[in-house]
Amino acid sequence: MAQKIYLPNGMEAIQAEYNTFPLEEFNQNPFIQALPLLADKTTIIKKLAVEPSFSESERDMDSIYRLHMVERLYQFYQPLPIHLDIWDMIHSLLIQGYLARNPFDIDYRRYQNESGKQIINRSYEINTRLNFRTTAGCGTLIGFSGMGKTTSTNRVLSNFPQIIVHNEYNAQNFNHIQVVWLKLDAPSTVSLKALCLQFFMKVDELLGTNNYKKYVSRNASVDMMLPLIGQLAQNIGLGLLIIDEIQNIKKRGADQIMNFFVSLINSGVNLAIIGTPGAYALFGNELRIARRVTGNAEIIFNNMDLNNEFKLLLESIWKYQWTKTYTPLSDEIISVFYHHTQGISDLVVKLFIFTQKMVIKNKKEHFDVEDIRRCAEDNFKLMEPMLDAIRSDNPYKIAKYEDIRRIEKTSIETGEHKTRKISDEENLKAEVNNKLVDISTKEKKSKRLAYEEEDLRLLLKKGVEEEKSPYELLLENGWIDDMAHWNEDSAYD
């Protein structure tokens, strides 16, 4: 186990210990050799899994204590196949990004020195390579809110040291502090300057340095700070910069920030971008940007289907019952859980917690499907419109909530989305009108029928008499939603 040490500012770090990899290209670089060895699936699962403390004897304790024991389930973490993909993405980004950044490579050291001189002389050009070809890349993790994107990323990162202190490498003096990863949140203000300032402050917080005071002034521009960020990242051996909550970036200023990300990659900084489906449209507008931000991996984290993966999650958590009477897991319970959570892992855990607490409080001490339904109705009232939209599988209803849009397999570079795109209200009106007018034409050619009250053809017939368009009739009678607000904030514009 690596020796822990503490920096002068009190932050914890580890002393570098160099591993030998089967791949020779990894064994010439201290930044890579100080990283953990590659692991197989079984090892990764063991490292990621979190099992809360539990004993069956605890079911006999007083309810006031058991109510607190149920809260342990918030610590529960069951690795699923997609979590292994996240691990692989992060580990791959770290290693591949360091390949061209060997501190003992003459060309790389020359590049650092020349870049530093250019920054001082204010002649730095981000696209000037100076005989240095970066191996930095970018990975994206886009998915449903509540599926655990941030939690999963944090679980993976916890298995990689954040700060490594080097003293000697291959019998040579090598005094260096390596920051393996750094995590930022995309500013809700869509301010590039705020993101740059956050970078400097985070580095100072970790290392106890004064880069913020040194480089940042009131008049400092983003163009001035970008090369400084790239140079600082090289100086501290930054392996990966993670930017979370990317959906905070809206259309205003999006192109500028996406260009900023590409510039960071060009300067040698590895990126991982995390966000909800609301951010997905940011990547598809320009091939150059889409190609770079999905260069190493593109992971889509949709809600789970009612399949073996969802059953695995429930089976893994089901033993953690603090009610006096154990409730076996049945197919009916699995179905009810899925109906009320729609495969969103955060809601699965919360519903299991809320149900147990409810029956412990009312002294029933066991639960059934009706208790689960009642608990979901009482606790998920605010989320019910979103869950209803997911159940409907109606793209018009789902599109109201940008963080639950299900992203199907797409080609992000060509923009060939299998999911349907709707530009504005007029497109929707035209489509509805065209389809229903076509129905009207066919009905005129057929013999008259006695339609039932809820038959759309009866509604259409009345509309002809009242001289109203099919769209107006459907809207007035609640068959479709008013899409006027799409013109203002649709993510598909």
Side-chain angles (χ1 to χ4, degrees), residues 227-425:
L228 294 174
I229 289 175
Q231 186 71 10
L232 179 57
Q234 304 291 347
N235 292 342
I236 64 176
L238 180 61
L240 180 63
L241 177 63
I242 304 103
I243 302 179
D244 201 355
E245 306 297 345
I246 196 69
Q247 73 278 358
N248 286 344
I249 299 175
K250 303 299 182 184
K251 287 183 295 183
R252 180 178 61 86
D255 290 342
Q256 187 183 16
I257 286 189
M258 297 310 293
N259 283 324
F260 173 74
F261 290 163
V262 172
S263 298
L264 285 179
I265 298 172
N266 288 339
S267 67
V269 180
N270 272 355
L271 285 178
I273 299 174
I274 306 171
T276 66
Y280 201 72
L282 297 173
F283 307 137
N285 295 331
E286 193 172 334
L287 174 61
R288 175 181 61 90
I289 292 176
R291 180 177 62 84
R292 298 308 297 270
V293 299
T294 60
N296 288 66
E298 177 193 356
I299 299 176
I300 304 301
F301 208 161
N302 288 322
N303 61 323
M304 289 177 281
D305 293 322
L306 183 54
N307 54 19
N308 290 334
E309 188 173 313
F310 181 76
K311 292 178 182 178
L312 171 62
L313 177 61
L314 271 182
E315 289 169 354
S316 302
I317 200 175
W318 205 251
K319 72 175 183 180
Y320 299 103
Q321 293 186 34
W322 281 272
T323 54
K324 289 186 178 296
T325 302
Y326 176 82
T327 302
L329 182 62
S330 64
D331 289 341
E332 185 181 13
I333 287 178
I334 292 174
S335 178
V336 170
F337 253 88
Y338 188 83
H339 176 79
H340 289 289
T341 64
Q342 288 302 295
I344 299 176
S345 53
D346 178 62
L347 299 186
V348 172
V349 175
K350 286 180 177 177
L351 182 56
F352 192 44
I353 292 173
F354 296 157
T355 302
Q356 287 195 59
K357 294 182 78 169
M358 181 183 73
V359 296
I360 290 174
K361 286 179 180 179
N362 63 25
K363 299 182 179 180
K364 183 178 179 181
E365 294 294 352
H366 72 277
F367 57 89
D368 51 32
V369 292
E370 291 304 321
D371 294 314
I372 298 170
R373 289 193 181 100
R374 188 181 315 114
C375 193
E377 292 170 358
D378 292 342
N379 292 279
F380 292 170
K381 290 179 181 178
L382 292 177
M383 291 174 285
E384 194 58 32
M386 298 79 159
L387 293 171
D388 275 340
I390 299 173
R391 292 186 198 108
S392 72
D393 201 26
N394 185 325
Y396 307 125
K397 292 184 178 181
I398 292 174
K400 290 182 179 180
Y401 313 102
E402 65 177 19
D403 56 350
I404 62 168
R405 290 195 182 105
R406 188 177 180 90
I407 300 174
E408 304 301 336
K409 187 67 177 177
T410 63
S411 173
I412 195 169
E413 293 189 2
T414 61
E416 293 174 355
H417 292 249
K418 290 182 182 178
T419 50
R420 189 172 170 195
K421 290 187 176 182
I422 298 176
S423 60
D424 53 30
E425 181 191 6

